[in-house]
Amino acid sequence: MAIRHFLTLRDLNTDEFNQIIKLAIEMKAAHREGRQDPIFSGKVLGMIFEKSSTRTRVSFEAGMAQLGGDALFLSPNDSQLGRGEPIEDSARVISRMVDIVMIRTFGHDIIERFAQYSKVPVINALTDQYHPCQLLADVQTFTEHRGSIQGKTVAWIGDGNNMCHSWINAAILLDFKLNIACPEGYEPDAQLVTEAGDRVTITRSPTEAVSGAHLVTTDVYASMGQETEQEVRMAHFSGFQVNHALMSKAADKAIFMHCLPAHREEEVSAALLEDENISVVWDEAENRLHAQKALMVFLLSANV
Ligand code: CP
Ligand code: NVA
């Protein structure tokens, strides 16, 4: 049987995605009530980080600990990955010693090559192209605040980046409308947009994108690895800030999300980020913990 990995959201079907969100909500309640069984006892998660992280590392590590398992942090600086050992060799070695692997890296091909040689499930914890774990938490958060996302309208304001690509995948899988507003030259992957058909629209106007939107979301102008482009991007993204004025053009009771870390007064105003009547970013961050625990339950049981 082929091993089930989670490299993009499209590795799940709609039912499986919804099942993970339902379990995440249940596991969140269980965690709050202090009733958690050590279902991962004896299990080890290998965590490979080639980029920085706060939320992803803490949520995976805490999640494993809460369920009785262990997590190993591996960075290129102190493993042979940083000294040129091929990813295919690293995959064959690491996956003989751990039960599940999580990778944050640059090119998506790196994680695909690791998965091809891995004996255990591999989770994408962010590549330059996708960030599917964040989308599990985001959909969980929307569901908790506003119910099912199916048939709703989401506005993505900003760069057509890894988060935007995962939002497109979510729109395809969960059947909602996604309005993307981005400056010229910062569009998401054209093939993915074509696959999404009329669920996805691209505009240059943030105001047009948020019209009728139940959720407005954004991300930094320069992602990890693009730090040298920060200044030029600041100029190109002028007019793309999400703030109270823009939110007032969205649907009544629209909420705001950001995967974090946020750059206040760049892609989002400080006032909006801190406005807990609209901004659900702290719930969104917390839900990484619960959504990923549910994802690991799914992958570990799908692969027995
Ligand atoms: N949102 C997110 O993935 O955050 P970190 O980079 O802190 O892991
Ligand atoms: N687009 C951002 C997301 C960080 C969680 C990045 O890749 O840096």
Side-chain angles (χ1 to χ4, degrees), residues 9-83:
L9 290 179
R10 309 281 288 283
D11 286 327
L12 302 174
N13 64 34
T14 308
D15 282 351
E16 288 167 341
F17 188 106
N18 288 330
Q19 192 187 315
I20 290 169
I21 299 302
K22 186 166 172 275
L23 181 59
I25 293 170
E26 284 166 16
M27 291 182 94
K28 183 174 183 175
H31 177 63
R32 297 238 159 121
E33 290 157 22
R35 44 175 184 87
Q36 287 182 122
D37 296 326
I39 52 173
F40 291 161
S41 174
K43 301 279 185 213
V44 178
L45 166 71
M47 306 192 300
I48 300 173
F49 280 98
E50 297 199 293
K51 290 176 176 171
S52 304
S53 168
T54 296
R55 278 143 289 270
T56 304
R57 179 174 177 183
V58 175
S59 54
F60 271 110
E61 212 166 313
M64 278 311 276
Q66 286 167 12
L67 297 175
D70 280 297
L72 290 177
F73 176 77
L74 296 160
S75 80
N77 292 342
D78 42 33
S79 70
Q80 300 290 3
L81 280 162
R83 297 182 62 251

Side-chain angles (χ1 to χ4, degrees), residues 140-213:
Q140 179 185 345
T141 309
F142 187 87
T143 308
E144 288 171 345
H145 282 269
R146 295 290 183 266
S148 171
I149 200 165
Q150 188 183 4
K152 297 285 197 312
T153 299
V154 176
W156 172 269
I157 311 297
D159 192 16
N161 64 9
N162 45 9
M163 277 299 302
C164 181
H165 290 156
S166 286
W167 271 108
I168 296 173
N169 273 342
I172 295 170
L173 206 58
L174 303 176
D175 195 19
F176 58 83
K177 201 164 172 341
L178 178 65
N179 299 335
I180 298 169
C182 60
E184 207 176 330
Y186 293 96
E187 295 83 6
D189 180 80
Q191 196 190 322
L192 202 53
V193 173
T194 305
E195 271 177 61
D198 58 12
R199 286 193 196 88
V200 170
T201 59
I202 299 190
T203 165
R204 303 288 168 226
S205 160
T207 308
E208 196 181 306
V210 302
S211 169

